[in-house]
Amino acid sequence: MKLRLLAALSTCLCTHALAQAPSDAPIIYESDYFERFVPQTALDMVERVPGFNLDQGEDRRGLAGAAGNVLIDGRVPVVKGQSIRGFLRRIPASTVERLELIRGSGTSASNAQTVRVNIVRATEGGSGVWRTTFDYAEDDRISPNVDASWTGRVGRVEYRVSGDYRKSHDPRTGTELIFDEAGVLDERETEQRVRDDDRIGVSGEITIPFETSELLLVGAFNTRDEKASETARIFSALGVSDDLELVLSEQENESRELSATYSQHIAGWDSELSALMLFEQTEDRQAGIDFDTGGGFDSRTVEVEKLEEAEAILRTQAARGLRNGTIAIEGELAFNTLKQSLRLTEDEGDGPLLVDLPGANTTVEESRGEFGATRAWEIATNWSIEAGIAFEVSRLSNEGDFSDERDLSFWKPSIQVTRKLGEQNQLRFRIYRDVDQLDFEDFAAGVELDNEDVVAGNSDLRPETSWRAEFVADWRFGEGALEISVFGWDVEYAQDFALIETENDRFDTQRNIGDGTIYGLNARAETPIKFVPGSTLAIGGHWQNSEVEDPLTGNTRKQSGTPDTNFEFEFRQDIESHAFAWGVDFERETQAPEFRFDRVTESQNQDRARLWVETTAFGNFKIRLAADNVTGSRQTRDRIRFDPDRLGALRQFEHRERDPGTGFSLRLQAAF
């Protein structure tokens, strides 16, 4: 596998560059602007930029798309296995000179971002930041988390090293009521679920300058061990103990990432060549055991899964300024692979029997290349246009339970018109074609015993594509901001669950089910409150509707699991005279139901409600105390089952509630 990845790196070229028209000048936030918040990291500063929402870009194709809407010194961060939030948390705030809010640019087909923040770092090093957090759960368990980062300089060479240890403990109690087809209570379950997660990570980077060029090396290693247990006691409608179910699971994960970026200014062009290699290994073990009323063995289901994933990317970019705008060329080639082996057995007292699950053992590979160009120019006073075109080709292949190979190609044009109003206000309209990132795990079978979910693999998947249109009104006033956007997508090859039948069984699988539409509205307002000194209020909302044709019933419905609504509320007050701050954060989100061949499931996560206080009365030492889930919200799941499928009669209705309880955390953080 390594030889194939190295070969892919040696033969691929890729590019992406920021194209910015003259009328789209960035809004500058000097480091002094953030002093009242006493930031310790670059993440603390990014989160305080008015009207800006950090986008991690996890579902984007390629290196540029995965980076989301953050630039580091004008560059796309060459990271993919690491989260952008974690990456920014390792940059000490003392090394940040300013932040630049860039709007109306960067909408080439490979990124599709219209608002980005550029973090400009100072040239001097020699500073660090550390953070320790103690999380308290309702069962009196305390979980420690520690991370530290140091940025330094040796001569002209800059370097950063960081490490972290994270431990999470999540106990939940719950109840589930099961009703028959007539709505009469049939069973009641009481549940106790505990999940423990341990993570260790180290990372580093080094920047080596030359006379007219620079080399940046970034590396990261992470390991994770997650264990969970769920015990469910089943009672009849009359309260008589009937059964006991136990689900045990353990997952071990290890990832390694290495990237290199070489940048140089040549004949008026800013050019860059980047390479990235990412390896990830996962081993998952699950066991579901049922006991009868007397405590005797009834049945056992066991799943063992091994997963190996790898990705190699090489990217080159070149951009230059012109008399009335900019031009950029871009291209990217990548090689992705996934290899899975999965064994599922069921034992009802006569010994374990292997379940014939399509796609249990498979290898998926994709070789992909892309080339494109973007041109931005000012067509009149306060008017600018950015137009881009990209072409992508790829080859997908499967081996194992499935054997298949196919070639795909996509044109990805984009155009955006920006109208500047005054010094900082904008109207933006854009149309572009987007190609979604394929999740290779959808090609392979998957099992979740705690949710009674078994999904077969499918070798015939292709990326979901869409033509997207968006209109945005963006106003800036002092330290406040208001953004309203409406959008609509015309979706091709929409991906959703569909029925697959084998000789002995029926399963759900992921499949391209046809065309669809998505449309919606986003709004976010952020402003100081004049009658509450030092305060900031932010309110945001999202509404979306999706429509696809159900492959089983032929009726129009929502696309499974797509976002429906989201509401966010954030209040913060900084009392500088007392080196004290406090705030309230609240978020509620809903998503479309999940449509399986024999059931419909509607899930609702608990509201995220947090009350926090912090003080910086001890110099550069910040102490923060927070309480989570202060509203006592619960996680719910409603599931309707049909017999034999959704074309048949209603068989059963289930209502489950899980209580995460109220958690507390104490965070100690300081720069050094």
Side-chain angles (χ1 to χ4, degrees):
M1 181 185 295
K2 292 183 179 179
L3 290 176
R4 297 183 69 177
L5 289 171
L6 289 172
L9 278 175
S10 66
T11 59
C12 60
L13 292 175
C14 58
T15 72
H16 177 78
L18 173 67
Q20 183 176 324
S23 64
D24 300 332
I27 300 175
I28 306 299
Y29 295 93
E30 301 288 350
S31 59
D32 296 347
Y33 174 84
F34 303 96
E35 284 186 355
R36 66 183 184 276
F37 305 118
V38 194
Q40 306 287 349
T41 69
L43 178 62
D44 297 335
M45 302 172 74
V46 168
E47 291 180 332
R48 299 269 60 84
V49 175
F52 179 75
N53 272 337
L54 183 62
D55 179 5
Q56 304 238 54
E58 296 172 349
D59 296 327
R60 308 293 309 165
R61 284 173 79 79
L63 198 56
N69 57 355
V70 173
L71 302 173
I72 308 294
D73 295 324
R75 301 173 183 159
V76 174
V78 186
V79 295
K80 203 166 186 183
Q82 309 175 60
S83 73
I84 297 300
R85 294 184 67 87
F87 190 80
L88 297 180
R89 193 180 288 124
R90 301 182 190 109
I91 301 177
S94 59
T95 66
V96 178
E97 182 177 302
R98 68 181 184 274
L99 267 59
E100 300 174 346
L101 181 65
I102 304 168
R103 302 172 300 155
S105 300
T107 60
S108 62
S110 63
N111 196 290
Q113 299 286 353
T114 60
V115 178
R116 296 198 283 185
V117 159
N118 180 31
I119 300 172
V120 180
R121 294 182 290 184
T123 56
E124 54 189 49
S127 62
V129 61
W130 64 268
R131 183 176 69 163
T132 301
T133 305
F134 300 94
D135 295 323
Y136 174 81
E138 280 205 336
D139 61 353
D140 298 329
R141 283 274 301 274
I142 297 178
S143 302
N145 296 269
V146 181
D147 59 76
S149 177
W150 172 260
T151 300
R153 174 186 289 272
V154 177
R156 297 176 60 202
V157 176
E158 294 184 4
Y159 65 92
R160 177 189 58 80
V161 292
S162 63
D164 62 88
Y165 169 73
R166 301 190 180 279
K167 185 177 183 65
S168 64
H169 175 69
D170 182 16
R172 303 195 177 199
T173 59
T175 59
E176 184 168 8
L177 303 178
I178 302 175
F179 302 86
D180 63 19
E181 69 277 6
V184 178
L185 180 65
D186 187 24
E187 291 181 345
R188 180 175 61 88
E189 296 184 10
T190 61
E191 301 176 345
Q192 288 189 333
R193 181 179 183 272
V194 178
R195 183 182 63 84
D196 290 286
D197 192 355
D198 293 277
R199 307 187 188 196
I200 298 176
V202 293
S203 65
E205 66 178 64
I206 183 170
T207 303
I208 306 172
F210 303 100
E211 283 192 15
T212 60
S213 59
E214 186 177 84
L215 177 64
L216 171 64
L217 302 174
V218 180
F221 173 81
N222 293 276
T223 179
R224 176 184 179 185
D225 185 7
E226 178 182 322
K227 297 180 180 179
S229 65
E230 181 179 321
T231 303
R233 296 187 177 274
I234 303 174
F235 300 87
S236 69
L238 298 177
V240 179
S241 179
D242 187 31
D243 204 347
L244 176 67
E245 297 178 352
L246 178 64
V247 177
L248 303 174
S249 63
E250 181 176 3
Q251 184 180 93
E252 297 176 356
N253 176 272
E254 182 180 292
S255 66
R256 303 179 296 278
E257 182 177 16
L258 179 64
S259 68
T261 302
Y262 180 78
S263 57
Q264 187 171 21
H265 184 80
I266 305 174
W269 288 83
D270 292 316
S271 62
E272 212 170 79
L273 179 66
S274 302
L276 177 141
M277 298 183 72
L278 174 64
F279 301 90
E280 188 169 359
Q281 294 176 313
T282 304
E283 184 169 343
D284 182 75
R285 296 178 292 275
Q286 300 180 71
I289 310 171
D290 292 352
F291 301 91
D292 59 25
T293 305
F297 173 82
D298 191 10
S299 65
R300 177 187 288 110
T301 303
V302 177
E303 179 257 9
V304 178
E305 177 190 34
K306 294 183 179 180
L307 200 66
E308 294 182 0
E309 298 176 83
E311 182 171 13
I313 304 176
L314 192 69
R315 179 170 69 101
T316 182
Q317 66 177 19
R320 66 175 300 164
L322 303 175
R323 183 177 60 84
N324 66 336
T326 59
I327 186 171
I329 58 173
E330 57 177 358
E332 183 169 295
L333 281 176
F335 177 76
N336 297 69
T337 182
L338 175 144
K339 182 178 181 180
Q340 174 183 283
S341 63
L342 186 150
R343 180 179 173 85
L344 179 65
T345 60
E346 293 180 346
D347 182 359
E348 296 184 353
D350 298 324
L353 297 176
L354 183 66
V355 177
D356 182 16
L357 185 57
N361 303 285
T362 188
T363 298
V364 188
E365 295 180 350
E366 181 186 30
S367 300
R368 180 176 58 84
E370 179 181 322
F371 180 81
T374 305
R375 174 74 165 94
W377 67 97
E378 189 171 21
I379 59 175
T381 303
N382 295 328
W383 287 88
S384 64
I385 289 182
E386 180 182 274
I389 185 69
F391 181 69
E392 174 187 318
V393 294
S394 64
R395 170 166 290 184
L396 277 167
S397 63
N398 301 78
E399 296 178 358
D401 290 353
F402 305 122
S403 181
D404 186 30
E405 185 175 270
R406 60 195 180 280
D407 296 324
L408 302 172
S409 62
F410 307 96
W411 284 100
K412 299 192 291 187
S414 65
I415 186 167
Q416 174 170 274
V417 179
T418 302
R419 173 67 164 97
K420 185 177 179 182
L421 304 172
E423 291 298 319
Q424 296 186 342
N425 303 326
Q426 284 186 351
L427 299 177
R428 300 189 295 270
F429 176 74
R430 64 169 175 160
I431 300 176
Y432 64 103
R433 191 185 190 200
D434 189 73
V435 180
D436 278 1
Q437 173 67 43
L438 279 171
D439 186 347
F440 278 13
E441 293 189 28
D442 291 336
F443 288 78
V447 177
E448 292 183 16
L449 295 182
D450 56 342
N451 281 321
E452 302 176 32
D453 284 343
V454 178
V455 180
N458 182 8
S459 65
D460 198 32
L461 286 173
R462 59 176 294 159
E464 186 177 285
T465 65
S466 57
W467 283 95
R468 304 186 179 188
E470 180 184 60
F471 177 79
V472 181
D474 188 340
W475 292 278
R476 304 281 159 165
F477 42 92
E479 296 184 5
L482 172 63
E483 181 175 290
I484 300 175
S485 66
V486 292
F487 61 90
W489 302 353
D490 184 14
V491 182
E492 301 173 298
Y493 306 105
Q495 186 174 321
D496 209 324
F497 290 104
L499 172 65
I500 182 173
E501 299 187 69
T502 65
E503 184 177 346
N504 300 316
D505 215 336
R506 310 172 87 195
F507 300 98
D508 286 291
T509 189
Q510 287 286 329
R511 180 178 295 169
N512 298 110
I513 63 171
D515 298 340
T517 59
I518 296 176
Y519 51 90
L521 170 71
N522 287 304
R524 181 176 174 85
E526 185 171 343
T527 181
I529 303 176
K530 291 185 178 180
F531 55 86
V532 183
S535 66
T536 302
L537 174 66
I539 299 176
H542 169 87
W543 172 83
Q544 176 178 299
N545 185 62
S546 63
E547 294 181 354
V548 293
E549 182 179 300
D550 191 290
L552 183 66
T553 67
N555 297 327
T556 299
R557 62 163 173 83
K558 295 183 178 182
Q559 190 173 356
S560 291
T562 53
D564 258 2
T565 63
N566 177 271
F567 173 76
E568 295 178 294
F569 172 91
E570 298 176 10
F571 173 82
R572 176 187 179 107
Q573 184 181 19
D574 293 271
I575 306 174
E576 296 184 62
S577 59
H578 292 79
F580 175 82
W582 73 281
V584 179
D585 302 332
F586 178 85
E587 182 177 8
R588 172 179 293 172
E589 58 184 2
T590 64
Q591 63 182 24
E594 185 179 85
F595 296 87
R596 303 293 186 99
F597 81 89
D598 63 346
R599 62 188 184 271
V600 178
T601 304
E602 189 165 358
S603 301
Q604 174 65 55
N605 285 326
Q606 73 270 11
D607 299 334
R608 288 186 282 274
R610 168 175 289 190
L611 175 64
W612 59 269
V613 295
E614 68 181 28
T615 179
T616 53
F618 305 98
N620 203 29
F621 190 76
K622 182 183 290 186
I623 302 176
R624 181 183 177 108
L625 179 65
D628 289 307
N629 196 31
V630 294
T631 60
S633 176
R634 294 190 172 199
Q635 181 187 62
T636 64
R637 186 189 73 183
D638 291 327
R639 177 178 285 175
I640 304 174
R641 295 182 184 270
F642 300 86
D643 189 20
D645 51 43
R646 285 189 287 112
L647 293 174
L650 187 149
R651 177 170 62 89
Q652 186 174 279
F653 173 74
E654 306 165 1
H655 175 73
R656 186 181 73 184
E657 293 188 3
R658 284 179 172 172
D659 184 7
T662 300
F664 298 89
S665 64
L666 174 65
R667 180 194 300 171
L668 311 176
Q669 185 173 345
F672 61 95

